Amino acid sequence: EGALQAPVWTLPLEKMEEMAMIHQPDVREMSYQTRITADESRKALLKLFPGISLSTSRQRDDNSFTLNKDWYEAGLRVTWNLMNLLSGPSQMAFSKTSEEVVAAKRLALRMALLSQVHVAWRQFEQASIQLQRTDELYQVEKALARHMENRASQDAQSPLDRISSSTSAILAELRRYQSLAQAHNALGRMMATTGQDPAVTPIREGSLADLTTRVDNWLAGQLTQPQSRKEAAATPAKPVSPPVAAAATPTRPVTTPVEAKATPTQAKPEPAATVNAAAQTHTGPGKHYRKLHVLQPGENVTVYEQSKNQLWSRIGERQWISSTFIDINP
């Protein structure tokens, strides 16, 4: 069984801080509140000015003795509220204090948000390291359980020791998957802190499998950012490309050499491996990824890339299989 891979996060810390300041709804709300406070201050200032009203009207009189039966009237009225005038200094002081309070709240919110980004980032790093350690511990417990099983089969170990060793291996596997869940939980907290919401259209549309595929595709697009800090506990899969004469590839070639052509399209490659036993395929290089379908012995597949530890091979679009279940054709 291959090692569990922690979710990869390659976004630099500086970029995370910038995204949190831009996409966090609390920061936007505080910006709107600052604008509202400024408008309220202008409103209080305008109340101190006198009120001016204009009035016009058209008049008519049917009296036969009048010389002009139609005429127009116009008027100008100026009013001034003395109470508003007397309370003007206190209102201006109140508006200024309100703006200062909003500015202080905005600064405090930004500092708290930056602290939250740093804490989430550190928690994700610790969760990735913890996953790596629990995975190594599980491999050791599994090997010990296998040795105990062999010794018990040769009557060199008591059944109680074998049961105890198997129980320890099961507990180690449980802690292993708990660490994986904590790593994904830390990843979710980082994405929530930076204001990243999955763009997967309404949840009511499509089936659960379709929604899972859309979320996986969105995560693949969000997490493939330029590397700018040290890698997580596990790195993404490394592509394995066919050898060509123009350049040397650092990975082990698994496909048959083909002649390079200058055409924009490439012919469909021939099957490069054969399935040697019934094997389950997954959406990623590990058993913790979602299961797809089972391949039968004798089926031909094409290996497009392999994981860094060479334990998993990609045989299609988001289709991975354990390398122990395939034989690379010469």
Side-chain angles (χ1 to χ4, degrees), residues 94-279:
F94 176 77
S95 300
K96 183 178 180 180
T97 304
S98 299
E99 292 181 0
E100 293 176 354
V101 169
V102 172
K105 287 183 178 180
R106 189 175 183 181
L107 179 60
L109 177 62
R110 290 182 176 180
M111 296 299 296
L113 186 58
L114 290 178
S115 301
Q116 187 178 359
V117 170
H118 282 259
V119 170
W121 186 57
R122 294 298 181 185
Q123 287 179 347
F124 176 75
E125 282 192 337
Q126 293 299 323
S128 300
I129 295 174
Q130 183 67 20
L131 174 60
Q132 182 181 6
R133 292 176 178 174
T134 54
D135 186 76
E136 293 174 355
L137 178 61
Y138 166 72
Q139 299 297 337
V140 172
E141 292 288 351
K142 183 179 178 182
L144 290 177
R146 184 170 61 252
H147 292 316
M148 287 292 183
E149 184 72 25
N150 295 334
R151 289 173 59 87
S153 63
Q154 300 296 328
D155 294 334
Q157 198 74 30
S158 65
L160 293 179
D161 293 335
R162 178 179 59 84
I163 295 174
S164 176
S165 179
S166 300
T167 304
S168 299
I170 294 174
L171 293 177
E173 185 177 11
L174 176 62
R175 289 191 294 267
R176 179 193 189 203
Y177 284 104
Q178 286 178 343
S179 299
L180 178 64
Q182 292 175 359
H184 282 278
N185 189 21
L187 175 65
R189 285 196 297 267
M190 280 203 308
M191 299 182 69
T193 303
T194 54
Q196 300 187 51
D197 296 326
V200 293
T201 69
I203 299 179
R204 293 188 299 270
E205 296 181 2
S207 60
L208 179 60
D210 179 62
L211 177 61
T212 304
T213 303
R214 284 182 286 165
V215 172
D216 290 340
N217 294 336
W218 181 83
L219 288 175
Q222 290 293 316
L223 301 182
T224 54
Q225 301 291 341
Q227 194 83 343
S228 60
R229 64 176 179 91
K230 61 182 182 180
E231 297 181 352
T235 56
K238 181 184 295 184
V240 178
S241 56
V244 293
T249 174
T251 57
R252 179 174 61 87
V254 296
T255 57
T256 56
V258 295
E259 183 181 359
K261 298 182 181 180
T263 56
T265 58
Q266 185 177 2
K268 183 179 180 181
E270 295 295 331
T274 304
V275 180
N276 55 27

